[in-house]
Amino acid sequence: MAKSVRNEVHASPEATVDPDQKYDIDNVERVLSTNEKAEHINYERIDNELAKYANAAAIEISPEENKRLKRMIDKRVLPIMVFTYFLQALDKGTMSFASIMGIRDDIPVLADNSKFAWLTTCIYIAVLIVEFPTNLAIQRLPVAKYLGFNIMAWSTVLALHAACKSFPALIAVRTLLGIFEAVCQPTFLILSSMWYKREEQAQIVTYWYMMNGMQQIVGGLLAYCFSLIKTGPLKSWQAIFMTYGIISFFWGIFVIWWLPDSPMRAKCFSEEDKKLMVERVRSNQTGLQNKKFRAYQVREALTDPQSWCYCLIAICTTLPTSGLGGFANIIIKGFDFTVLQTQLLAMVLGVVIIITLISATWLVNKTKQNLLVMAIYVIPSFIGTIVLMTVKLHNRATQVGLLISYYIVLSFWAAQTLSMSLLSRNIAGQTKKSTVVAMNFIAWCVGNAIGPQVFLTRDKPRYLIAFSTHMGCYVLLVIVIAFLRFNFMLRNRTKNKLQEQAGVANDDHLAHAFDDLTDKENPNFRYMY
């Protein structure tokens, strides 16, 4: 069917559109008139693989059929994203648990917090360097195969941690770990927008991102079990690195076998179901797959204010996150808890993170107010940080109070998760999306790299400098959220007004949803906020 429609489009002069034409919202009359004439997909812009499955215009999918398709996708794709992210978070967070399992005694230089902080910082410096090449590879290579290869690579590096006897050796393996783990979050954002509808993506992103909390729960329990190892060829911290590395390696093999690269390549589904899965995401108007690099979309990404807003949100949330995560056990132990109590209380921290993310997503689905919910969830972070900075530890009551305050500080994680779901829903055009995702995770790396560095050894155990820095991040975060909301409202209002002036109705048939148009150049695209 796609072939016959393609011939029909090419035979019609009115439907022919320059494949690299740069539409512009400032000249919306021309854009709208062009779209009105071109009643079919522009096969010069659409991905060739996608063209075989995309209908000429939107087809109606019943609610029952939509639920059936989503269940199939959930069974095949969602568990891969969730468990892979869990393993990545577990692997990356193992150093925090190892910090109180003897590694600092075996490698004495790590007793210096500034040295220990570099074991987290070097990961994000590595990610910072490889982020753009990785995102280009994700756009051009089979996604599932590329992800599986990187999982096997980082698991091998993780197992090698057990052989490290010096600080330089640890820096080397931690850097390699960052290089291979750089694929994870960008891939999941692409998979989320490839397989799921816009209204589903906030929930899907939350499902895999809340594995940061799950690793705190499971990781704390497993770390306690490993800490019971007192004899044998491996010390407890070596055993935990080896075990996680081996498990992750076999999981990488499974991912390559089980996860489809795209709906079009999913041999596990029938041809009819693959076509319907493509049609499910047509209404996103953010595209599905396109391997052609379009330079003008890079320029648009770099000049679009929303791109830089996502970057600022990433920095303002990851800078506190990385410090609080890398030093979680050290901070909690600083409240005069024993090692066992610290391990168990770190598990509670995971529960707090999961509850925070799930409740925020539920509130977004209920109110449809993504940015307002983000702002609301920053408020407890202000309160908790102020308590940590002003209340001194002097009895059991303040010990418990400081611990609770530390827990509620982490409510800002909701802003980080919801921001990523906004990016996947509000950025259209495959080259632009790849560029913005790369920008976002470069900013994410900058925040993560800086975060541990503000926890200075001379400032322990209260770390006033670190928490003051966090307060500044929360203030900037609220300002960015307010600007982004105003900006999206203004853009939608402008598009509505220009479309009314042009006297052209919306493209109800969504004929151009897969034409690799950006959110700015597509006059039918509306921002979610």
Side-chain angles (χ1 to χ4, degrees), residues 313 317 356-357 359-384 408-416 418-419 474-475 477-482 485 529:
I313 292 173
T317 53
T356 297
L357 298 185
S359 62
T361 304
W362 177 85
L363 199 56
V364 167
N365 290 336
K366 193 78 172 176
T367 63
K368 310 301 180 186
Q369 297 293 332
N370 205 109
L371 287 164
L372 284 180
V373 171
M374 288 169 63
I376 290 171
Y377 272 72
V378 180
I379 296 174
S381 298
F382 278 109
I383 297 171
I408 67 172
V409 163
L410 295 170
S411 66
F412 71 86
W413 275 47
Q416 189 176 47
L418 295 175
S419 174
Y474 304 146
V475 171
L477 180 59
V478 172
I479 294 172
V480 173
I481 289 172
R485 179 177 170 82
Y529 56 85

Side-chain angles (χ1 to χ4, degrees), residues 236-498:
S236 59
W237 65 268
Q238 293 175 314
I240 197 171
F241 280 121
M242 283 289 294
T243 303
Y244 290 174
I246 292 170
I247 292 172
S248 298
F249 185 86
F250 285 106
W251 177 254
I253 296 174
F254 177 76
V255 168
I256 292 175
W257 173 71
W258 181 260
L259 180 65
D261 291 307
S262 68
M264 296 79 72
R265 293 191 179 189
K267 296 179 180 179
C268 52
F269 303 135
S270 68
E271 290 297 302
E272 184 60 30
D273 282 340
K274 287 194 278 188
K275 290 178 182 178
L276 292 175
M277 288 175 182
V278 168
E279 288 300 319
R280 273 190 87 242
V281 298
R282 180 189 284 268
S283 61
N284 292 354
Q285 301 216 66
T286 55
L288 189 153
Q289 172 181 290
N290 200 293
K291 300 183 184 300
K292 182 172 182 179
F293 179 81
R294 302 185 192 276
Y296 81 85
Q297 292 192 9
V298 176
R299 290 193 296 272
E300 182 174 313
L302 294 174
T303 56
D304 190 341
Q306 72 163 318
S307 303
W308 298 104
C309 285
Y310 295 136
C311 291
L312 284 173
I313 292 173
I315 291 174
C316 291
T317 53
T318 55
L319 193 154
T321 298
S322 61
L324 293 173
F327 285 82
N329 290 326
I330 296 173
I331 294 171
I332 294 174
K333 193 176 179 182
F335 296 151
D336 285 346
F337 291 104
T338 66
V339 172
L340 174 59
Q341 289 173 330
T342 300
Q343 297 280 28
L344 295 176
L345 290 171
M347 295 170 61
V348 179
L349 184 64
V351 175
V352 172
I353 292 170
I354 291 174
I355 291 174
T356 297
L357 298 185
I358 290 178
S359 62
T361 304
W362 177 85
L363 199 56
V364 167
N365 290 336
K366 193 78 172 176
T367 63
K368 310 301 180 186
Q369 297 293 332
N370 205 109
L371 287 164
L372 284 180
V373 171
M374 288 169 63
I376 290 171
Y377 272 72
V378 180
I379 296 174
S381 298
F382 278 109
I383 297 171
T385 304
I386 290 171
V387 172
L388 290 174
M389 293 177 66
T390 56
V391 176
K392 295 183 179 180
L393 175 64
H394 55 80
N395 56 31
R396 188 70 175 178
T398 54
Q399 182 186 38
V400 174
L402 287 169
L403 181 65
I404 293 173
S405 298
Y406 177 72
Y407 286 157
I408 67 172
V409 163
L410 295 170
S411 66
F412 71 86
W413 275 47
Q416 189 176 47
T417 308
L418 295 175
S419 174
M420 284 195 288
S421 73
L422 273 181
L423 190 160
S424 70
R425 289 179 285 169
N426 283 339
I427 299 291
Q430 292 305 303
T431 303
K432 181 178 181 180
K433 178 169 286 188
S434 294
T435 304
V436 177
V437 168
M439 291 169 61
N440 181 74
F441 285 107
I442 285 174
W444 180 82
C445 293
V446 170
N448 275 301
I450 296 173
Q453 300 299 326
V454 299
F455 282 85
L456 305 175
T457 302
R458 68 174 184 274
D459 201 31
K460 67 179 184 181
R462 299 190 66 196
Y463 298 108
L464 293 178
I465 294 174
F467 289 122
S468 298
T469 305
H470 294 180
M471 283 290 287
C473 288
Y474 304 146
V475 171
L476 181 57
L477 180 59
V478 172
I479 294 172
V480 173
I481 289 172
F483 170 80
L484 202 53
R485 179 177 170 82
F486 171 78
N487 187 258
F488 284 154
M489 292 173 65
L490 183 61
R491 291 189 192 199
N492 286 348
R493 194 178 304 134
T494 301
K495 284 194 174 189
N496 289 338
K497 184 177 180 181
L498 292 174

Side-chain angles (χ1 to χ4, degrees), residues 79-124:
I80 296 294
M81 291 196 290
V82 169
F83 192 67
T84 300
Y85 200 84
F86 168 73
L87 282 180
Q88 188 232 21
L90 191 67
D91 294 349
K92 193 180 295 180
T94 303
M95 186 57 71
S96 177
F97 292 113
S99 67
I100 56 174
M101 292 172 63
I103 192 172
R104 292 180 132 193
D105 297 325
D106 293 336
I107 307 177
V109 70
L110 298 182
D112 183 351
N113 277 359
S114 62
K115 295 285 188 182
F116 184 77
W118 274 105
L119 297 182
T120 298
T121 299
C122 67
I123 288 180
Y124 297 106

Side-chain angles (χ1 to χ4, degrees), residues 39 61 93 184 445 528:
E39 297 175 352
I61 299 177
C184 206
C445 293
M528 301 182 72

Side-chain angles (χ1 to χ4, degrees), residues 213-224:
M214 186 60 69
Q215 78 88 12
Q216 285 284 346
I217 301 172
V218 179
L221 182 60
L222 291 176
Y224 172 67

